[in-house]
Amino acid sequence: MICVSIARGRHRYLLAELQHLAKQGVELVELRLDCIQSNVQIKRLLTDRPCPVIATCRRQHDGGHWSRSEEERLMVLRAAIAEGVDYVDLEDDIAGSIPRFGATKRIISHHDFRRTPEDLETLHGYLASLDADIVKIATLATHPNDNLRMLELVRSSSVPTVGLCMGEIGTPSRVLAGRFGAAFTFAPLNPEKLLAPGQIAFSSLRDLYRYDSITPATKIYGVIADPVGHSLSPVVHNVACAATAIDAVYLPFLVPAGHLRDFLASASRWPLAGLSVTIPHKEAVLEEVSARDDLVKEIGAANTLRFNSDGTIESFNTDVTAALEALRAALEEQEAGFGDRRGLKSAMVLGAGGAARAIACGLRRQGVDVTISARTAERAKKLAEAIGGKAVDWSARHRLPYDCIVNATPIGMHPEVNETPFEATHLRPYMVVFDTVYNPENTLLVKEARGVGCRVVTGVEMFVRQAAEQFRIWHDQLPPRDVMRNALKQATSSVRVIE
Ligand code: NAP
């Protein structure tokens, strides 16, 4: 069950949101009384409430907004209990001074904004001893495995428990709470009023992550990255699983570089079924895998992992095929191919990072002459040597004409949408222009290339194809490509909300 937290400065907005949520079938709402700007009128809020509510009045040092006296706060909580509120949230240090009364259930809560303590069991035992109907522990995750320790505590507890990790690293604990037997999870109604770091808005948790249909049988997938907040892979994969009725959930795992080994070593505890891999782990991950497919061996980087029941981890690279397929589709429109007279014989790849490497390798495999130009000349030279291509200075990138220009830098990506890595005056109608940036899809480079009459391949086409191939590897089914493409396009068009 999702408990939706609502935080408003005025009673009437709080009441309106409560009614609205009840109409949507929400079964539990947390009223954040600490956000009310005037005297709290508890009777007004609780009379004729349309669904069960939790009364919470959080102090500032526990992450709340209460700015008046502690005495007044305790009065508000006592008044809520006297009015027969369904649940009251009592922090562990005040639980002893507010006795049980009537039918109100007691949530005994503890917050730690610095870390997730080592000994969660002792803390849990103490909270349960404070006449708790439900124990709630919210701690800051500083390691991705803090999520696991918290979720395993929830699963082993005999007292109903809500255990959540805060911060972006802690997001998985919020989505998987029910899978591990938590009494409920929390989600704010309004994304713009997120009440704690790492929270997911109610609508996303319900509709994208399908929280209520996650069971112990639901397979767990995700993306490992640092940062991970901007990733659109959760949107694309969750929508694809919903469309094909696959019982799986796909999560954003924020895994800092130093925690990669520990995270993968604990894969069976979640248990993980598959992962997308992105910056900064695409190369480092190879030290942890049991098997590499041919492209991974050739490129030295993986973007996909599959976890087998015998504990082995297979690695794949779907970026290369995705980029080539996207380019091939554009060439076929004019019945041309790689290396042929009307197709691509030469390409300029801008950038020398992971995407540039995958695309440059793929093009070389097709017999295309590849030139690399990157801001850091040394990186360009190294990549050119590795793939059997040439390197030119960044300042010389416009000097010679090429059949294909590939942007494998972030230039043009949101929010720098007025930038382009290649001046329009050097574009020619016979060129194929491939911009790997997908957010937005119509970058300035894409717009200018279309204006000149070039054939254009967008980052969306590559992104959808690499994700579709991951889907096929993990679920052994045909991927719903159109569904994935539409989800990505919709998400990139509302990028300001997502970020
Ligand atoms: P990366 O490994 O960090 O490499 C980025 C490259 O861009 C480096 O060569 C970097 O140069 C260069 N660069 C960064 N900012 C620059 C600037 N302001 N001016 C000139 N050069 C700059 O990243 P990556 O994984 O290759 O990803 C690169 C881009 O590809 C991403 O931003 C993303 O938009 C796109 N991408 C798309 C897909 C897809 O499926 N569509 C998949 C992967 C990546 P330095 O070495 O000097 O920093």
Side-chain angles (χ1 to χ4, degrees):
M1 174 167 62
I2 304 175
C3 172
V4 184
S5 298
I6 53 178
R8 288 287 183 182
R10 290 170 179 229
H11 291 80
R12 68 187 157 106
Y13 295 140
L14 215 46
L15 285 166
E17 286 188 347
L18 185 56
Q19 292 293 340
H20 167 72
L21 288 172
K23 277 196 194 119
Q24 289 186 44
V26 169
E27 295 168 90
L28 185 60
V29 173
E30 179 186 46
L31 300 178
R32 285 291 299 266
L33 305 173
D34 48 300
C35 297
I36 296 176
Q37 282 156 6
S38 53
N39 283 340
V40 179
Q41 299 166 32
I42 205 74
K43 197 168 185 154
R44 182 175 167 201
L45 292 172
L46 297 181
T47 304
D48 298 332
R49 59 189 177 275
C51 66
V53 303
I54 301 173
T56 299
C57 193
R58 199 70 78 214
R59 293 169 295 209
Q60 290 179 1
H61 70 257
D62 286 321
H65 296 268
W66 185 256
S67 57
R68 281 163 275 163
S69 73
E70 179 64 358
E71 202 182 359
E72 211 177 318
R73 190 176 80 95
L74 298 186
M75 270 169 54
V76 167
L77 291 169
R78 286 197 182 97
I81 297 171
E83 285 301 328
V85 70
D86 307 276
Y87 299 86
V88 65
D89 183 307
L90 303 172
E91 296 86 2
D92 54 343
D93 61 314
I94 62 156
S97 60
I98 300 189
R100 180 180 289 279
F101 177 77
T104 299
K105 291 206 163 73
R106 293 160 57 90
I107 300 173
I108 307 301
S109 68
H110 178 86
H111 296 80
D112 189 330
F113 288 92
R114 289 170 304 143
R115 66 205 158 108
T116 298
E118 277 309 310
D119 193 358
L120 280 174
E121 286 74 16
T122 303
L123 172 63
H124 183 273
Y126 167 66
L127 298 174
S129 75
L130 298 172
D131 194 14
D133 293 298
I134 293 175
V135 168
K136 179 188 173 193
I137 305 180
T139 61
L140 182 73
T142 56
H143 188 297
N145 288 1
D146 288 346
N147 289 291
L148 270 176
R149 294 197 293 116
M150 186 63 86
L151 291 168
E152 286 169 348
L153 173 86
V154 168
R155 184 165 55 196
S156 65
S157 167
S158 53
V159 179
T161 298
V162 178
L164 300 171
C165 285
M166 297 183 284
E168 213 183 332
I169 294 181
T171 298
S173 71
R174 298 178 181 276
V175 182
L176 297 180
R179 193 183 194 280
F180 284 76
F184 45 84
T185 192
F186 285 91
L189 175 62
N190 303 301
E192 74 276 14
K193 285 189 182 286
L194 291 182
L195 294 165
Q199 283 186 337
I200 299 179
F202 167 58
S203 57
S204 292
L205 198 55
R206 181 189 57 185
D207 304 333
L208 179 64
Y209 292 98
R210 294 178 293 147
Y211 181 88
D212 287 325
S213 54
I214 297 174
T215 71
T218 303
K219 290 196 167 173
I220 303 171
Y221 296 84
V223 53
I224 51 171
D226 183 10
V228 77
H230 67 285
S231 174
L232 295 175
S233 292
V235 172
V236 170
H237 283 289
N238 282 316
V239 167
C241 287
T244 47
I246 289 174
D247 187 10
V249 62
Y250 185 104
L251 302 164
F253 289 105
L254 175 56
V255 179
H259 297 328
L260 179 67
R261 177 162 287 177
D262 283 354
F263 178 76
L264 292 178
S266 305
S268 60
R269 286 166 61 192
W270 294 89
L272 300 176
L275 288 176
S276 307
V277 181
T278 185
I279 296 172
H281 303 305
K282 282 186 177 181
E283 289 165 20
V285 84
L286 298 188
E287 286 178 29
E288 317 299 329
V289 304
S290 331
R292 307 167 184 203
D293 80 352
D294 288 346
L295 281 171
V296 172
K297 283 184 196 150
E298 187 177 329
I299 293 164
N303 76 332
T304 310
L305 302 182
R306 182 168 64 194
F307 297 80
N308 300 318
S309 50
D310 61 1
T312 55
I313 308 176
E314 293 173 89
S315 62
F316 308 85
N317 193 312
T318 68
D319 282 336
V320 182
T321 335
L324 288 185
E325 257 191 44
L327 269 169
R328 191 172 282 123
L331 292 171
E332 279 169 2
E333 277 174 28
Q334 64 156 48
E335 295 169 1
F338 291 107
D340 70 22
R341 195 176 54 80
R342 294 174 60 212
L344 301 189
K345 287 198 286 294
S346 64
M348 157 67 77
V349 175
L350 303 170
R357 176 175 281 267
I359 295 168
C361 276
L363 288 170
R364 285 297 299 134
R365 274 182 151 218
Q366 304 298 319
V368 176
D369 287 333
V370 175
T371 303
I372 311 286
S373 182
R375 180 172 68 173
T376 307
E378 200 45 43
R379 264 188 110 178
K381 208 167 142 222
K382 221 167 143 195
L383 177 55
E385 273 167 19
I387 59 149
K390 289 190 277 272
V392 298
D393 278 352
W394 184 245
S395 58
R397 64 192 185 283
H398 300 108
R399 210 163 281 165
L400 291 174
Y402 297 88
D403 298 333
C404 178
I405 307 292
V406 180
N407 176 30
T409 77
I411 300 173
M413 196 163 88
H414 177 84
E416 313 294 343
V417 293
N418 293 324
E419 293 187 6
T420 173
F422 201 81
E423 285 168 24
T425 48
H426 295 275
L427 292 170
R428 299 287 175 267
Y430 62 81
M431 289 178 171
V432 176
V433 173
F434 178 8
D435 196 344
T436 65
V437 170
Y438 57 86
N439 194 1
E441 179 174 23
N442 288 314
T443 58
L444 183 56
L445 175 62
V446 163
K447 286 187 231 167
E448 290 182 337
R450 284 210 176 102
V452 170
C454 304
R455 278 157 295 150
V456 167
V457 180
T458 71
V460 163
E461 286 310 313
M462 175 176 168
F463 190 92
V464 167
R465 284 176 159 85
Q466 61 80 29
E469 181 59 11
Q470 293 181 325
F471 184 99
R472 198 196 54 71
I473 289 169
W474 292 330
H475 308 301
D476 203 17
Q477 278 196 29
L478 274 183
R481 265 201 204 176
D482 289 343
V483 170
M484 296 168 98
R485 182 178 290 107
N486 289 341
L488 182 62
K489 288 191 181 221
Q490 204 179 335
T492 53
S493 66
S494 58
V495 67
R496 277 168 211 288
V497 175
I498 286 160
E499 290 180 352

